[in-house]
């Protein structure tokens, strides 16, 4: 006697088709899972998340202090003489009324008598009769910011009196003057004495090289 259930050919065919459909569906589902998984990016080793879409992340730039090179400036002076002592230089100025606005600059072990400082050679007029000549030099004021004269470079590099006046006007509108108070006071005092940019530069260099010693000369 045979035991077992007899199935028609149609039943067998339907069963086979059903199996094929299930197999295809399983492949499609697995494919979708793998595709979606590729769209996700694991956090980087640094712990920062990396965006997979949209604009790139923008990091806030870190402001760095100006370098020594950026705080250096090439200048030209009208030189009347060079002396081995401050007394001799001061006596030379006292004996010549035309040097009322001149200053004694101590640099490299010598004492120079200058009456003007320009950004370009053409700003400095020399005279064989006066015994004057043009002296090129450079100044480094990188350390002046520590004593509240961080804007000294802007004033020295100014090409118009209006630039200095605007700088002072902006300071007057500030609520807190802070360490810059003395610096702007010096600017106000000097500009009340003269509006000649060449003399203003000279007075500032003389003050901050002798009083605060933050101006370094190079020849």
């Amino acid at each position: 006697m045979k035991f077992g259930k007899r199935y028609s050919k149609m039943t067998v065919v339907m069963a086979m088709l059903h199996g094929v459909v299930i197999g295809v569906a399983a492949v499609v589902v697995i494919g979708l899972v793998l595709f979606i998984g590729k769209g996700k990016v694991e956090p980087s080793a640094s712990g920062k998340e990396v965006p997979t879409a949209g604009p790139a992340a923008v990091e806030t730039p870190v402001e760095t202090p100006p370098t020594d090179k950026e705080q250096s400036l090439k200048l030209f002076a009208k030189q009347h003489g060079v002396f081995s002592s401050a007394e001799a230089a001061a006596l030379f100025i006292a004996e010549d009324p035309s040097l009322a606005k001149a200053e004694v600059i101590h640099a490299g072990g010598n004492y120079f008598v200058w009456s003007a400082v320009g950004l370009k050679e053409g700003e400095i007029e020399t005279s064989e009769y006066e015994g004057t000549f043009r002296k090129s030099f450079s100044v480094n004021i990188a350390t002046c910011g520590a004593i509240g004269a961080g804007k000294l470079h802007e004033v020295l590099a100014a090409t118009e009196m209006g630039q200095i006046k605007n700088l002072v006007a902006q300071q007057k509108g500030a609520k807190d003057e802070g360490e810059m108070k003395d610096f702007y006071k010096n600017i106000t005092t000097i500009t009340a004495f003269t509006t000649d940019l060449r003399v203003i530069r000279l007075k500032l260099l003389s003050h901050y090289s002798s009083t605060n010693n933050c101006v370094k000369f190079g020849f």
Side-chain angles (χ1 to χ4, degrees):
M1 179 180 293
K2 292 183 178 180
F3 296 95
K5 188 176 181 179
R6 292 180 176 276
Y7 298 94
S8 64
K9 291 183 178 181
M10 183 58 69
T11 302
V12 174
V13 171
M14 291 300 293
M16 293 175 64
L17 289 174
H18 183 67
V20 171
V21 170
I22 292 175
V24 172
V27 172
V28 172
V29 171
I30 294 172
L32 288 173
V33 171
L34 292 175
F35 179 77
I36 294 174
K38 288 181 179 179
K40 295 181 179 180
V41 179
E42 294 297 328
S44 63
S46 63
K48 296 182 180 180
E49 294 185 359
V50 181
T52 59
V58 179
E59 294 186 1
T60 303
V62 178
E63 186 176 346
T64 56
T67 63
D68 284 0
K69 185 177 181 180
E70 291 171 336
Q71 287 294 311
S72 295
L73 194 63
K74 184 175 181 179
L75 300 167
F76 300 88
K78 183 175 182 178
Q79 182 165 303
H80 296 262
V82 57
F83 303 86
S84 58
S85 69
E87 291 76 14
L91 181 61
F92 177 81
I93 293 175
E95 292 177 344
D96 190 345
S98 68
L99 297 179
K101 295 182 179 179
E103 292 288 342
V104 177
I105 302 295
H106 183 206
N110 293 313
Y111 296 85
F112 301 90
V113 174
W114 294 347
S115 62
V117 173
L119 293 172
K120 299 179 180 179
E121 291 185 64
E123 291 183 59
I124 304 302
E125 297 178 357
T126 59
S127 169
E128 186 176 347
Y129 172 76
E130 293 178 333
T132 58
F133 67 95
R134 190 180 296 109
K135 176 78 171 180
S136 63
F137 66 100
S138 63
V139 290
N140 186 297
I141 54 177
T143 61
C144 290
I147 51 98
K151 296 291 184 179
L152 180 58
H153 186 278
E154 292 183 39
V155 178
L156 293 176
T159 56
E160 296 179 0
M161 190 63 193
Q163 293 174 292
I164 299 177
K165 289 182 177 180
N166 289 338
L167 194 65
V168 174
Q170 291 174 6
Q171 178 272 335
K172 288 182 178 179
K175 295 181 179 179
D176 184 14
E177 296 177 349
E179 295 180 344
M180 301 292 288
K181 183 177 180 179
D182 290 338
F183 172 74
Y184 286 110
K185 184 179 179 180
N186 292 334
I187 296 295
T188 301
T189 301
I190 293 172
T191 52
F193 169 72
T194 180
T195 57
D196 189 334
L197 291 174
R198 299 171 302 172
V199 178
I200 292 173
R201 295 187 193 103
L202 173 64
K203 297 294 182 181
L204 287 172
L205 290 176
S206 174
H207 176 78
Y208 285 101
S209 63
S210 61
T211 305
N212 301 99
N213 197 33
C214 71
V215 176
K216 308 301 179 183
F217 293 92
F219 300 101

